[in-house]
Structure formats: structure tokens, C-alpha cells
Amino acid sequence: MRDRPATIQREMSDLASQLDQALKDGHLLESSRTNIDLLLRGSASPVAEAAVTELAAAGQWEELNDRFFKTLAFGTGGLRGRTIGRVVTGAEQGKGGPNERPEHPCAGTATMNFFNVSRAVRGLIRYAKRHVGSSRRPKLVFAHDTRHFSRDFAEFCAKTAAELGCDAYLFESGRATPELSFAVRDLRADAGVVLTASHNPAHDNGFKAYFNEGAQIVEPHASAIIAEVNALDSEIFEPLPASEQGTVTTIGADLDRRYMDRLKSLLMRPELLEGSKTRVVYTNLHGVGGVIIVPLLRELGFEVITVPEQDIQDGRFPTVESPNPENGPALKMAVDLADKEKAEIVIGTDPDNDRMGVAVRDGAGKMRLLTGNQIGSLMAWYRAKTAFEIGWLNDTTRARALFVKTYVTTELQRAIADHYGIGVVDTLTGFKYIAEKLRKYEDAIPADKKGVDYRSLDEATTRTLRLEYSRFFLFGGEESYGYLGCDFVRDKDGNGAAVMFAEVAAYAKSIGKTIADLLDDIFTQFGYHEERGKSLVMEGADGASKIQALAGSYSVQPPEEVDGSKVSRIRDFATQDLFDEEGDALPKEKMLFVDLEDGRSFAVRPSGTEPKIKFYLFGKDSPAEDLAASKAKVSAALDSLWSAIEADAKARMA
């Protein structure tokens, strides 16, 4: 512990007595009391002590419990939590920061601040150095979005990496999460980090870690990195001697260009875009998506109009309630502009540009918001159909092609795949599992066929290799607006999704149809499929406990009948030994999937990134000419199903 003057020691003693009394009176959780001491011992900033003292003096015990009820453990996705408290102390506010944020992130062991970011990056560095060995310095890449403190955290991480003997690469300004994935692969780096909380509220931030494949960390690396991070209980460290330190290199435009050129290879029929002049309204929702999407779509021949008020990179996300393209209100300004400018489609991406939402103009001239399942199915259908038309696939090779999707993504994509005779593999929720499949398919190619470096091969060459020796990933995605159509990025990619969807739009225009028409054609051919995403939000320490209890209750007391229909099958991913379509064992995850005899189904799982428990509802009807009747039938059935699930959840929490 640092030496403290006598006056400060007395103040700390007074604070300790106050906290002990609050614990005795039942105001402060025992874990909070322990973790406050942990932070005060391990913080390098006097702000932590001052903030805790202020909150205790004001009797803000609920705020202290929310900040300290746990340590922000490094999981397989990294860290995510509040960086601005519900109550902002005077010490944290300080002089203030850009975009009306406080000067300092909120103190806490369950929050995003330099205490936790330091632990996370140093643990990652420790493992990277061990993995690389003593022959060279590890290479780490750091990116960030527009959130409060994202740039500060990224610069801190790069500086820390260099001081501890690594070569760091830091983007010159905000970049998309998928470009970080590309950069790790392109630079042949050993690990990477993007500072983002994706589409979470403005008060959150996160630390998202990637390993040398350019994908989020999975086993066997995950457990080892987590152990290194969680073993650290202080942000204080000693830099190596100057002669042993690494360097910090700024990256930007050159890497952007390589990434954009590679993204163009996603186009299957680029001639469709010649002279199409499709008018697109794009919004980055105050994030980083405009860095790549706007110039790239313009290079491809699209007329791109942006929303001026939302072009501004601002971590407050001031023009939207939530910077999430899954939510219709987030795209309202873009839709209004599209109506004014007579644009055909609206594209919106979240702050770190890994998710993409879309609105399209239907035959009646109205803008229609599409769901993530509908957007993904349109691209999956187009890519499967076109792959045969242009010769990527044929009767001989179709068996090696596949879609990879998550279990909670629409089964419409399976119906499409079955029609074209290609495979489907389901994974657990999280794009890291889709990326792990891509690694498996790359590794299956014989080493002598890959040449010196697989990553330097163009898409046509790798496609030929995958079709001959492995499996060809044609498209992948998850219902939460994440999509991927290549293997040179190993995460969901809003940039690539914009390119793929723009081609679908150009195709629709070339045959005199709207995208809404195409979607209805798909429903008519394969049957109407509808999905609903619902959630129950429970914040703070008490909320976290309720979420876990509710999630656990489905394993202990699984439903036998729901909404008048008997349960035909239950898959409990937390307790059962389950395997995917390729025979690979699935990691244990808190998710329960319930199939009903009447064809409906639902899944329930606690969110790994937000204070909510999620419910996924699925309904479908057989192919029918009367599509309107099918839609009404399935929609009513899902309304009824949600009412039953919601009532049951409330009863389980009573």
C-alpha cells in the first residue's frame, strides 16, 4: 500500500468505521465491503477514495452496492459495465470531459475504469508473452469507438502494452470492431482489443478481447487469459526498463484501404451495381461506421446520403434513446430523411459498427423496418441462389458449402439451405462460436496447400481450397443484427453487411422488385417464419441476483405445457451434453430451448452483456399462397405465447 499522511490515514479510518457500520446495519453487502477495500488498496488514483467517501457520507448505499457487489470478472468476451455511475460524485465529475462526460470514470470493482482496464490488458499481455515465448515481442492491436473514455482507455492500453514489452498498434481514431478483427489478421498480431460496449446505453463501456486468429477468445486460450486477469487485484505496475519496452505505432488510412479492398470481394455480381444509382440513407448513430461504409458504398456506385445530426461522433448518442439499430426509433431520423429524399433503403449501424439494421421501401411506398432474422435471411437466400448461378457452387461442391448461425436465429435459413442442398451448423449465442467454426475450416486445409500464408490469399483462392479440402462458409449470422459473408474477418461485420445488403438491393432493382417483394417471395416459397425478441430488465446487484435465479428456475422446474401446447423437447444447454450438426461438443451455457407440439418454440437465456434475461420466440406456417393469412395466424400465436411466458416468469419470481 502507498504511504499515506497521518491526516489521510485518519480519514480512511473514519471511512472504514462508517462502512463497517453500514454493513452491520444491513445497508452494505458483505461483498461490497470487501471489494471497496480491494479497490482502495489497488487503485492508483485518489479519485477512488474520494468517490467512495462522498457516497458513504451521503448514505448512497444502493449506489455503492451496485458499484462494488462484485469484481468485474474478465469473461470470454472481456469486460463490460458502467463507466458513468447513476450517481456521479464531485470527485469523478472534476473539471468534466468531452461531450459532457465526467472527468474520471466511476470508481468501483463492478464498473469500467482504469482499475479494471489495467487488470484486463495486463492479464492479456501476460498470456500473450507466454504464448509467444522469448524469441520476439508480442504484437497487440487496439481500437475504440466513440463512447465515453474509449479513446482514453485505448491509449492507456497501448502505452501499458509497450511499457510491458509488447509492440502496440493503435488506430489513429475510432474504428469499427470488425476492422479490429481484420487488423489482427492483416498485421499478424498476437492479440487485439476494442474498447466498446457495442449498442449498450451511453453510460456503459467495455473491453473486448481477440486472439491471434482475429476472433474473440475461446478455449483453450480463454481460461488461461481469464485466470491471468482475475489474479490481478491492482492497477499499479512497474514498467520494464526502457531498453526492454516495445513501441506504439499509429495505424489508419493504409489499413482502411486494405480492408475496403477486401470487402469488395463480398460482391458476387458487381455488374449489378454499375449504373444502378440506388439511393441509400445511412446513419452511424454517432458511432464509427461512417469511416468505411460511406466511402465504400460511394465507390461501389451508390448515392449515399447521411443524417447530418447523427454523423457527429458523440458518446452521449444525443439524438436517440438507444444507439441500437435493432430498435425502430433509432432509425427514425434516417427514415424521415429517406422519405424526404426518396431513398430506397435505410442502413444504420451501432456505435462500434458490428450490427446493422435496415428499413426498406415497400410496393406501397412506405418504409418498412426489417428484423435481424429477415435481413439475414434475405442475404443468405441471395448468396445461396447466386452462388449456383455464377458457378461458385455446383452439384458436386454443394455438400461442402454451409450457413453457420446461432440456435436462436430463424429456422427460415435452414429451409433455404435445405432447398439448395447446402449445410447448416448451429452454434451457441455469440459470434465467437461462428468464428471458431471458421478457424476449424481453415485448419482443415492441408498445410502444403495453403502456401506460405493463408491470410495473403485472395477470396477466390481460399474458396477453391475450402471447397476441395474443407467446408466453404457462404454466410453466417445471428438474430441480433450481426452478419458475416467471408472468413478474412472473424466477427460480425456491419461494413461487410452493408456491402452484401446493398447488392441485394441492386438485384431487386434489376428485376423490378422491391426488397419487401423479395422477402414476401421467400416467405411464399419457404413458409412464413416470424420471431420475437423479448426481455425482462433487472439492473444492479439485486437485479443480477433475480436474473440468475429466474434463469436457473427453468432448469430446476422446466415447463411441461405452455400456452395450451405440450412441450415436445427441451434442450438445457447448461446441464445436458449437447452436440452440433458436425458432432462437436457444445460448451455449457445458461440457455434453455423449449419446443412445443404445435410447432412454436422459445428459448430463454440471461444476457452476457446487459442486465436482462432474454426470451426468443419462434413461429412458422407451411408455404401458402395466402401470405397475409399466414402472417396473421403466426403473429397471433406468438402474441399468445409471450403472454403465457411472461405470466410464468412473474410466477417463478414471486
Side-chain angles (χ1 to χ4, degrees):
M1 183 181 293
R2 301 179 300 279
D3 292 335
R4 304 176 187 272
T7 54
I8 295 180
Q9 291 182 8
R10 285 196 298 273
E11 290 171 2
M12 290 299 296
S13 178
D14 291 343
L15 174 61
S17 297
Q18 193 174 12
L19 296 172
D20 289 340
Q21 187 62 48
L23 175 62
K24 182 179 178 181
D25 293 341
H27 300 311
L28 196 63
L29 297 173
E30 186 172 346
S31 60
S32 298
R33 180 69 187 90
T34 299
N35 288 332
I36 288 172
D37 281 346
L38 173 66
L39 181 71
L40 297 186
R41 286 195 306 270
S43 176
S45 169
V47 172
E49 294 175 8
V52 172
T53 300
E54 279 189 56
L55 292 171
Q60 293 281 1
W61 306 118
E62 183 178 356
E63 177 73 6
L64 281 168
N65 281 328
D66 286 349
R67 293 180 179 214
F68 289 96
F69 75 98
K70 66 177 182 179
T71 57
L72 197 61
F74 190 95
T76 54
L79 303 172
R80 191 174 293 191
R82 292 186 75 107
T83 195
I84 299 175
R86 289 182 184 84
V87 178
V88 178
T89 67
E92 290 160 348
Q93 181 60 37
K95 298 176 181 178
N99 295 327
E100 298 178 349
R101 60 153 234 218
E103 183 179 1
H104 306 284
C106 64
T109 54
T111 61
M112 272 292 294
N113 46 41
F114 290 102
F115 173 82
N116 280 321
V117 171
S118 176
R119 293 171 55 241
V121 73
R122 284 156 51 220
L124 181 62
I125 289 166
R126 284 186 178 189
Y127 182 75
K129 294 179 81 168
R130 193 166 78 238
H131 185 263
V132 167
S134 58
S135 60
R136 63 177 176 84
R137 291 198 295 255
K139 296 168 64 174
L140 279 74
V141 187
F142 297 96
H144 65 88
D145 66 4
T146 60
R147 288 182 170 274
H148 296 311
F149 299 103
S150 281
R151 181 68 188 180
D152 307 71
F153 289 151
E155 290 177 346
F156 171 82
C157 286
K159 181 174 181 290
T160 299
E163 289 178 345
L164 292 178
C166 300
D167 288 332
Y169 294 80
L170 175 65
F171 277 98
E172 62 188 5
S173 58
R175 290 298 190 278
T177 288
E179 188 169 359
L180 182 279
S181 172
F182 175 81
V184 170
R185 293 179 62 79
D186 182 77
L187 296 171
R188 281 64 173 173
D190 301 293
V193 173
V194 58
L195 282 304
T196 178
S198 193
H199 58 287
N200 276 35
H203 53 64
D204 285 355
N205 212 322
F207 177 105
K208 198 172 182 181
Y210 294 73
F211 211 57
N212 56 10
E213 293 291 330
Q216 289 184 70
I217 56 173
V218 294
E219 300 299 348
H221 308 298
S223 294
I225 294 172
I226 290 168
E228 291 282 8
V229 174
N230 293 342
L232 297 170
D233 60 6
S234 171
E235 67 178 290
I236 303 165
F237 68 94
E238 289 294 328
L240 293 174
S243 60
E244 298 176 26
Q245 291 185 16
T247 59
V248 176
T249 301
T250 300
I251 54 176
D254 288 347
L255 196 136
D256 292 343
R257 185 70 261 168
R258 294 197 296 276
Y259 178 44
M260 289 170 66
D261 288 343
R262 203 70 189 250
L263 287 170
K264 289 181 178 180
S265 69
L266 284 164
L267 294 174
M268 303 179 77
R269 294 180 58 191
E271 70 275 8
L272 288 176
L273 280 62
E274 295 175 5
S276 73
K277 293 300 180 185
T278 300
R279 181 171 284 195
V280 178
V281 168
Y282 170 71
T283 175
N284 63 15
L285 298 179
H286 303 289
V288 299
V291 174
I292 297 295
I293 287 178
V294 173
L296 181 56
L297 289 183
R298 285 174 177 163
E299 284 183 17
L300 294 175
F302 289 85
E303 183 179 350
V304 182
I305 304 165
T306 63
V307 181
E309 300 92 334
Q310 295 178 332
D311 286 341
I312 301 167
Q313 296 190 352
D314 187 339
R316 294 170 298 179
F317 316 123
T319 64
V320 293
E321 184 176 341
S322 168
N324 187 350
E326 298 180 42
N327 302 329
L331 299 183
K332 184 180 185 305
M333 293 181 73
V335 169
D336 290 345
L337 184 59
D339 284 334
K340 177 183 176 182
E341 297 290 342
K342 302 296 188 288
E344 296 157 65
I345 61 175
V346 163
I347 294 175
T349 54
D350 63 347
D352 70 321
N353 190 22
D354 60 355
R355 286 175 168 82
M356 180 190 76
V358 164
V360 299
R361 198 170 297 284
D362 63 19
K366 299 288 182 66
M367 295 300 290
R368 183 197 300 183
L369 289 167
L370 302 184
T371 69
N373 281 311
Q374 292 169 346
I375 297 166
S377 295
L378 278 161
M379 291 190 287
W381 167 80
Y382 175 80
R383 293 182 73 76
K385 175 186 75 72
T386 307
F388 287 95
E389 292 172 350
I390 64 176
W392 281 13
L393 298 176
N394 53 43
D395 288 342
T396 302
T397 59
R398 73 172 76 228
R400 289 191 179 271
L402 83 164
F403 299 154
V404 183
K405 70 180 189 67
T406 64
Y407 281 98
V408 295
T409 297
T410 180
E411 284 294 280
L412 175 57
Q413 292 175 18
R414 185 177 301 278
I416 293 168
D418 289 346
H419 174 77
Y420 288 103
I422 64 178
V424 176
V425 174
D426 282 306
T427 71
L428 294 176
T429 302
F431 231 89
K432 63 190 175 189
Y433 296 116
I434 296 177
E436 180 66 4
K437 286 294 183 182
L438 297 183
R439 183 200 60 77
K440 173 185 174 181
Y441 305 148
E442 178 184 337
D443 288 350
I445 302 170
D448 63 334
K449 303 296 183 181
K450 295 180 186 178
V452 177
D453 186 357
Y454 177 86
R455 300 180 193 188
S456 66
L457 302 176
D458 61 36
E459 286 299 289
T461 302
T462 66
R463 181 171 62 250
T464 299
L465 290 172
R466 285 175 280 165
L467 284 170
E468 184 173 357
Y469 299 104
S470 181
R471 301 201 75 179
F472 171 50
F473 171 80
L474 184 58
F475 182 77
E478 55 188 9
E479 48 73 40
S480 55
Y481 295 68
Y483 327 95
L484 186 66
C486 63
D487 81 337
F488 58 81
V489 171
R490 297 291 169 90
D491 205 349
K492 53 185 175 286
D493 187 353
N495 296 306
V499 172
M500 290 187 291
F501 196 82
E503 184 175 356
V504 175
Y507 168 74
K509 191 171 186 178
S510 74
I511 60 172
K513 290 190 174 186
T514 67
I515 290 175
D517 292 334
L518 289 185
L519 184 59
D520 283 348
D521 289 347
I522 292 171
F523 286 144
T524 300
Q525 180 177 1
F526 300 106
Y528 180 66
H529 289 65
E530 184 177 338
E531 300 77 30
R532 303 268 183 89
K534 300 288 187 177
S535 60
L536 299 175
V537 178
M538 291 170 269
E539 295 187 321
D542 183 58
S545 176
K546 288 179 178 178
I547 287 171
Q548 295 307 315
L550 177 57
S553 75
Y554 289 97
S555 291
V556 176
Q557 293 180 299
E560 297 179 357
E561 182 179 288
V562 181
D563 194 29
S565 181
K566 289 185 178 180
V567 172
S568 62
R569 178 174 63 157
I570 288 181
R571 285 167 285 174
D572 189 337
F573 291 80
T575 63
Q576 297 174 4
D577 293 328
L578 298 174
F579 300 85
D580 67 22
E581 290 84 351
E582 295 180 330
D584 293 335
L586 296 169
K588 293 291 189 286
E589 179 178 281
K590 289 183 179 178
M591 181 172 76
L592 196 86
F593 212 110
V594 180
D595 297 318
L596 304 181
E597 287 185 349
D598 65 6
R600 293 177 297 173
S601 57
F602 72 92
V604 54
R605 60 178 285 271
S607 172
T609 58
E610 299 173 273
K612 63 176 63 172
I613 187 165
K614 293 185 173 183
F615 298 86
Y616 306 82
L617 283 62
F618 303 85
K620 61 184 177 181
D621 194 21
S622 300
E625 289 298 321
D626 191 347
L627 183 57
S630 281
K631 290 181 178 181
K633 174 185 172 183
V634 174
S635 182
L638 291 184
D639 286 341
S640 181
L641 179 59
W642 174 240
S643 294
I645 292 171
E646 190 174 26
D648 177 64
K650 290 180 179 178
R652 289 172 181 270
M653 292 189 292

